[in-house]
Amino acid sequence: MIDIEQVSGGYSQEPILRDISLHIDRGSFFGIIGPNGSGKTTLVKMISGILPLQAGEIQVAGKSITAYQSRELARKLAVLPQLTSHAFSFTVKETVSLGRYAFKKGLFQTLSDEDGHIIAEVMEQTGVTQYADSPLDELSGGEKQRVFLAQALAQTPEIMILDEPTNHLDLAYQKELLDLLKDWTEKKQLTVISIFHDLNLAGLYCDKLLLLNQGKMSGYGQPDEVLKADKIQQVYHTEIEKYPHPRVPKPQMMLVPEQSNMKACNIDESMLKQSKKHIVMHVPIPLKSFSSAVTGSGMGWFDTFVNRYVDKNYQEIDHKGDMEHYLRQNGFDPNATVGMMTAVPLDTVAYLSRQGEGFSLFVVVTAGVGNAVDAAYGSKHVENMKPGTINTWIFINGNVTDEAYIQGMVTATEAKTKALRELHVMDKLTGTFATGTSTDSILIAASQQGEKLTYGGPIAPLGQLIGNTVYECTKQALKSNFERRNRE
Amino acid sequence: MQKLFTQKYLKTKQAIAYAAMSMALVGAVLLGVSIGTVHIPIWDTARMLFYGLIQAPVPESIDPTLENIVMRIRLPRVVLSGLVGASLAIAGAAFQGLLRNPLADPYTLGVSSGASVGAVMTIFFHITIPGIGIFTLPLVSIVFAILTIFIVLFFARKIDRTMRVETIILTGIIFSSFLGATISLMIALTGEELRQIIGWLLGSVSMRGWEYVWIILPFLVIGSIVLYMHANELNAMAFGEEQAKHLGVNVQRKKMNIMLAGAILTGAAVAVSGTIGFVGLVIPHFIRILIGPDHRHLLPLSVITGAAFLIIADLVSRTIIAPSELPIGVITALIGAPIFAIILMRQRKKGRS
């Protein structure tokens, strides 16, 4: 649809943009990103024919942009303006009707019936029909934006250009506008070119991105290729982490604030509090936690960890809701708390601190094997969600990568299984060695301070320590549980 | 149903505006011709105008001296003030639309003063360009009007690239005072009486006769038709020149056409009547309140209303302290300046909110 070849240009003699070459397909959503002053608006103005080129060529639908008459170009290409205040207040219908200017014929340029139909249609599509005779002044920012969208659509363009369309719009309107445009790229083969300030929005909606830096192309291609953390950091001079979107397969960039005053913290057993009702670990800073708990599960930042004792016959359909209720009742904030349950008496808890090279561990285990299972034959067991019986908490004073979290979990599980094996814990149903219980839970929480720990496998320094400590703790917890049972 | 109703309502509003303003114009003409030192009954005036219009001889029941007064003195004066009012009002509407600025008007932009420099030079130095005779006066004024608008806009752009409303007005007013002073100096050096000069500067349509009507008429017709052909462009440019370009307007060319037409209208009006201020400001503003900013109706309604307004203003200026006459510019300024202030205050308020 649009071919840009080695284009340079700007407002004065010294060009702002240098040597830009790109191709925009029909029906695609093309995003332009870059820091302030990188030349985004300049490029868009050159594509829309406002600024002359100093070198190179821009072709729109196979024809050089300089060869277009004003009206001819307006029939191909529409621009959604940024909202500004206007001296005169036209009505919504008058404003939208101006979109048909390029199609008017004759000396006094009257509107044809076809024009009338198109105007009515685009007003319907953008939902502004009800305001047809209201003055623009009386509309809100979002409504005004829709009116100008209708005006642009009345041009029945093949290309729509937007300069930060979401500026001044609240969140719901931003999404609404971009969803609408995205829909039209698919259904009507509309080509959309838009400047984005928000990298995440750009990543979500665009098929292709151009990253400009100081007037030059710094990245060009699929969002995944362009939105690379190191490249964005270099262009924007700010610390950024890339993360996948939780729902759609698109990259998201996270800003990382300067943390010069972050509190140093060493997690140890002094933070553990024990009662008959629950075991609580309260840490002065939030820890990046990855767990299979009842509440606060998955990945998140939490500063309180609760292992709650429940009766063996605890049957609650909404155990998550019940847990939240319990946390609130006992003065814990469910949003900042990881909550687990166990039917094991809490005085059998085992915990150990260990020191590694540049990091340290604190492991807490409560273990019971009432419903021990051999994972190889799990299908023979009827599913019953009884409260977890081996709950493993691993706290790390260190900076742990995502992959180390997962490796750490694998290592901890293997160590647990080894402990069960050594104590000859059997799956009663199958008569084989048990590998765990049916409802075990695990948590790894790290302070994310200090040196980076990139590997958690069983022979890496972190993995070694996790494996050994979990093994020791699980064994100790099981032993005290057996002793207690024997005593009873 | 609601939609149909409001749309009809808007159409009706426009129709009412056209009818009301046309009636006001007819009324203004009748009053303007009837009232004066010699009172002529309105009914006789109407009959005389009617027979005059159909080129039929006036019936004998009407006093021939009255006929003389009407046809030779009163009517040309009324027609001239109507034409001047129409020219200034439509020029004002066009300048306002073009500059997206409700405070623009031939007077505040300095165009009137520029034109009067040309007019004063022609009148007081008795210049005649061979071949065009009586049209020397309007043509020189128009050329000066065109020069002035370009110089004012050039300086306004130099001061402030975004050409804010206030910058343009300020530049126009500075030019206006400068040119006004130049004129006074010029006339004083020629030894004419200052009172007469000031009278001319404040504008007048008295003792001009039919000749002046013919001088301004062709320019009014040409200028108005050109502007009306640009009504859609003016609407588009109200949203900014860039947006107008995106909508398909050839901004550079259309802008030039509109400025030339505006300068022609202003130049011709000033040539025959001196500098009459605020007509181009007040009338379009008033019409916008009635029917909105759509130039397809704003321009023609400004013509009708501007004519009616200036006829009434002239009537007031020659009757209020009769037998002496006030310059007509005094009346328009007395009405226009407060309205200028009100628009300015409203704009500032709007800008802040």
Side-chain angles (χ1 to χ4, degrees):
Chain A
M1 196 75 219
I2 294 179
D3 278 294
I4 298 177
E5 255 172 70
Q6 297 183 321
V7 159
S8 300
Y11 299 92
S12 57
Q13 292 296 28
E14 186 59 31
I16 293 171
L17 278 179
R18 261 162 300 177
D19 211 21
I20 306 292
S21 296
L22 47 96
H23 173 79
I24 300 167
D25 288 319
R26 175 185 287 271
S28 67
F29 203 127
F30 189 87
I32 302 170
I33 53 174
N36 285 339
S38 59
K40 302 185 295 279
T41 304
T42 311
L43 178 61
V44 155
K45 283 193 173 169
M46 289 198 289
I47 298 174
S48 56
I50 294 285
L51 264 186
L53 314 181
Q54 289 174 0
E57 196 182 46
I58 295 180
Q59 290 209 334
V60 175
K63 186 170 158 184
S64 170
I65 189 126
T66 47
Y68 277 96
Q69 300 280 321
S70 305
R71 280 176 189 242
E72 194 188 355
L73 189 64
R75 280 180 238 144
K76 277 241 174 335
L77 183 151
V79 177
L80 183 70
Q82 282 198 342
L83 287 184
T84 46
S85 65
H86 301 293
F88 309 119
S89 193
F90 284 86
T91 66
V92 168
K93 179 140 192 233
E94 285 166 347
T95 308
V96 177
S97 303
L98 277 171
R100 297 304 293 170
Y101 172 83
F103 297 84
K104 286 176 183 170
K105 292 188 190 83
L107 208 56
F108 293 105
Q109 309 172 348
T110 43
L111 288 170
S112 70
D113 284 351
E114 195 202 339
D115 293 330
H117 286 310
I118 291 172
I119 290 163
E121 196 187 318
V122 294
M123 283 175 64
E124 204 61 56
Q125 281 169 350
T126 50
V128 296
T129 311
Q130 50 178 320
Y131 312 118
D133 295 302
S134 320
L136 267 187
D137 272 3
E138 290 174 8
L139 303 187
S140 73
E143 289 160 351
K144 263 190 217 166
Q145 187 77 286
R146 293 217 298 271
V147 172
F148 284 104
L149 183 66
Q151 188 189 59
L153 289 173
Q155 290 175 245
T156 53
E158 293 168 39
I159 302 160
M160 176 84 86
I161 295 182
L162 308 98
D163 188 346
E164 279 185 55
T166 54
N167 226 351
H168 311 301
L169 289 191
D170 60 33
L171 215 56
Y173 279 127
Q174 289 186 14
K175 188 181 121 58
E176 197 179 296
L177 174 68
L178 292 170
D179 281 342
L180 200 68
L181 289 168
K182 185 78 187 171
D183 191 46
W184 276 324
T185 61
E186 279 155 18
K187 286 200 189 127
K188 303 186 176 178
Q189 287 289 295
L190 180 74
T191 308
V192 178
I193 302 169
S194 177
I195 291 178
F196 281 97
H197 228 79
D198 186 325
L199 301 180
N200 290 332
L201 278 180
L204 276 180
Y205 286 94
C206 295
D207 301 311
K208 236 175 179 185
L209 282 180
L210 168 69
L211 172 62
L212 285 174
N213 187 25
Q214 297 178 344
K216 288 197 186 128
M217 291 173 68
S218 193
Y220 168 53
Q222 311 257 327
D224 236 351
E225 294 166 46
V226 178
L227 295 176
K228 285 196 172 118
D230 52 343
K231 194 184 277 172
I232 297 294
Q233 285 189 19
Q234 179 201 332
V235 169
Y236 282 85
H237 303 290
T238 186
E239 200 178 331
I240 266 166
E241 291 264 6
K242 184 174 168 179
Y243 229 72
H245 190 282
R247 287 276 300 280
V248 294
K250 297 278 189 178
Q252 296 285 284
M253 316 297 291
M254 305 285 177
L255 272 174
V256 183
E258 210 62 58
Q259 288 183 320
S260 50
N261 55 357
M262 194 161 130
K263 271 187 283 178
C265 170
N266 194 47
I267 309 159
D268 59 29
E269 48 184 275
S270 69
M271 296 164 189
L272 193 72
K273 288 204 177 69
Q274 214 181 318
S275 72
K276 263 187 120 76
K277 274 162 66 186
H278 49 238
I279 297 171
V280 179
M281 180 77 180
H282 182 75
V283 185
I285 59 164
L287 304 180
K288 188 177 175 184
S289 315
F290 195 28
S291 77
S292 60
V294 178
T295 62
S297 57
M299 189 72 92
W301 291 82
F302 301 95
D303 62 6
T304 307
F305 305 86
V306 172
N307 194 0
R308 169 190 171 198
Y309 174 76
V310 294
D311 189 75
K312 248 194 292 231
N313 302 313
Y314 174 82
Q315 286 288 354
E316 173 69 49
I317 297 160
D318 180 20
H319 57 290
K320 198 176 159 79
D322 178 54
M323 187 73 187
E324 277 175 14
H325 177 72
Y326 177 84
L327 289 176
R328 247 185 230 109
Q329 265 199 332
N330 287 277
F332 302 112
D333 175 6
N335 296 313
T337 306
V338 173
M340 291 186 183
M341 293 182 186
T342 184
V344 177
L346 295 178
D347 52 8
T348 62
V349 66
Y351 48 85
L352 269 175
S353 288
R354 287 285 183 80
Q355 188 66 41
E357 193 74 42
F359 68 97
S360 62
L361 281 188
F362 178 57
V363 173
V364 183
V365 175
T366 57
V369 288
N371 47 356
V373 171
D374 180 351
Y377 301 107
S379 60
K380 296 196 173 169
H381 292 262
V382 197
E383 193 185 347
N384 68 332
M385 284 296 288
K386 282 206 170 159
T389 30
I390 301 181
N391 285 346
T392 311
W393 288 356
I394 303 163
F395 297 97
I396 304 170
N397 286 305
N399 192 351
V400 182
T401 62
D402 284 0
E403 52 268 41
Y405 269 89
I406 293 169
Q407 286 157 349
M409 290 210 155
V410 172
T411 308
T413 308
E414 287 164 357
K416 173 189 77 181
T417 303
K418 176 72 176 167
L420 290 180
R421 178 71 185 263
E422 283 200 354
L423 295 174
H424 301 284
V425 177
M426 309 296 283
D427 182 334
K428 282 175 191 138
L429 198 73
T430 59
T432 52
F433 283 113
T435 55
T437 78
S438 58
T439 47
D440 288 356
S441 261
I442 188 163
L443 157 89
I444 296 186
S447 62
Q448 298 304 80
Q449 291 174 355
E451 225 171 288
K452 232 182 191 155
L453 302 166
T454 50
Y455 200 62
I459 56 168
L462 176 64
Q464 280 176 18
L465 211 58
I466 288 177
N468 187 256
T469 317
V470 170
Y471 166 74
E472 295 284 351
C473 267
T474 311
K475 240 165 88 169
Q476 195 190 317
L478 279 172
K479 275 181 183 159
S480 33
N481 193 25
F482 295 157
E483 278 167 22
R484 192 192 153 102
R485 250 201 327 213
N486 292 338
R487 259 189 280 128
E488 280 166 4
Chain B
M1 214 42 231
Q2 179 68 29
K3 187 181 126 201
L4 210 68
F5 172 75
T6 45
Q7 207 144 21
K8 270 208 186 118
Y9 173 69
L10 198 71
K11 285 248 164 68
T12 322
K13 215 158 77 168
Q14 286 163 357
I16 291 173
Y18 277 108
M21 291 307 126
S22 304
M23 264 150 60
L25 178 57
V26 172
V29 171
L30 288 178
L31 286 176
V33 175
S34 297
I35 299 171
T37 28
V38 180
H39 182 76
I40 302 165
I42 290 211
W43 176 238
D44 286 350
T45 310
R47 279 198 297 166
M48 274 188 274
L49 292 184
F50 175 73
Y51 289 118
L53 216 60
I54 59 167
Q55 300 275 310
V58 175
E60 286 180 11
S61 60
I62 294 169
D63 189 345
T65 46
L66 288 189
E67 194 196 337
N68 245 331
I69 294 175
V70 167
M71 289 305 177
R72 299 250 169 107
I73 301 168
R74 297 257 177 95
L75 191 57
R77 179 174 185 151
V78 165
V79 171
L80 185 66
S81 48
L83 296 181
V84 168
S87 304
L88 293 175
I90 189 175
F95 283 133
Q96 286 166 19
L98 188 69
L99 301 170
R100 295 174 291 286
N101 179 347
L103 292 176
D105 132 275
Y107 190 68
T108 52
L109 285 176
V111 185
S112 291
S113 305
S116 48
V117 172
V120 166
M121 269 171 55
T122 317
I123 295 169
F124 287 89
F125 298 123
H126 305 291
I127 299 169
T128 314
I129 299 171
I132 54 170
I134 56 161
F135 286 107
T136 304
L137 178 62
L139 280 177
V140 174
S141 302
I142 286 167
V143 168
F144 273 78
I146 292 170
L147 283 177
T148 315
I149 182 137
F150 282 109
I151 294 171
V152 167
L153 291 182
F154 172 79
F155 274 98
R157 197 185 297 269
K158 278 270 162 206
I159 296 164
D160 169 12
R161 253 186 67 103
T162 58
M163 302 250 283
R164 264 179 316 161
V165 175
E166 292 83 354
T167 314
I168 300 177
I169 298 301
L170 199 59
T171 319
I173 288 171
I174 292 167
F175 263 81
S176 219
S177 333
F178 176 73
L179 292 171
T182 314
I183 296 167
S184 303
L185 184 68
M186 221 157 48
I187 304 172
L189 288 178
T190 59
E192 300 273 342
E193 200 201 333
L194 213 59
R195 205 183 128 95
Q196 190 194 339
I197 300 155
I198 290 166
W200 195 89
L201 280 180
L202 286 170
S204 167
V205 283
S206 67
M207 306 310 284
R208 298 289 207 264
W210 285 108
E211 192 191 345
Y212 275 64
V213 170
W214 302 126
I215 289 179
I216 185 177
L217 190 62
F219 297 103
L220 171 62
V221 171
I222 294 168
S224 301
I225 289 176
V226 170
L227 286 184
Y228 188 71
M229 280 166 58
H230 288 78
N232 281 313
E233 282 82 358
L234 281 167
N235 283 347
M237 273 189 257
F239 293 98
E241 284 181 21
E242 257 181 38
Q243 186 58 14
K245 195 158 183 208
H246 293 318
L247 291 170
V249 178
N250 187 339
V251 172
Q252 288 310 324
R253 203 170 67 204
K254 304 290 180 184
K255 197 163 95 176
M256 191 64 86
N257 292 348
I258 293 165
M259 282 204 291
L260 288 178
I264 286 173
L265 286 161
T266 311
V270 169
V272 297
S273 66
T275 49
I276 299 172
F278 298 106
V279 181
L281 180 89
V282 172
I283 302 303
H285 185 69
F286 172 65
I287 304 292
R288 263 190 229 103
I289 292 172
L290 289 185
I291 55 128
D294 186 345
H295 287 85
R296 286 170 302 175
H297 300 294
L298 176 63
L299 295 176
L301 276 170
S302 290
V303 167
I304 301 170
T305 315
F309 173 74
L310 209 64
I311 292 171
I312 298 293
D314 178 50
L315 178 63
V316 173
S317 77
R318 65 189 153 91
T319 50
I320 196 162
I321 51 162
S324 353
E325 270 188 30
L326 267 178
I328 188 169
V330 172
I331 303 296
T332 59
L334 280 176
I335 301 169
I339 292 180
F340 180 93
I342 290 166
I343 303 174
L344 188 67
M345 282 196 300
R346 269 212 206 146
Q347 269 217 318
R348 296 268 62 181
K349 229 185 253 162
K350 206 168 123 189
R352 254 183 275 127
S353 64

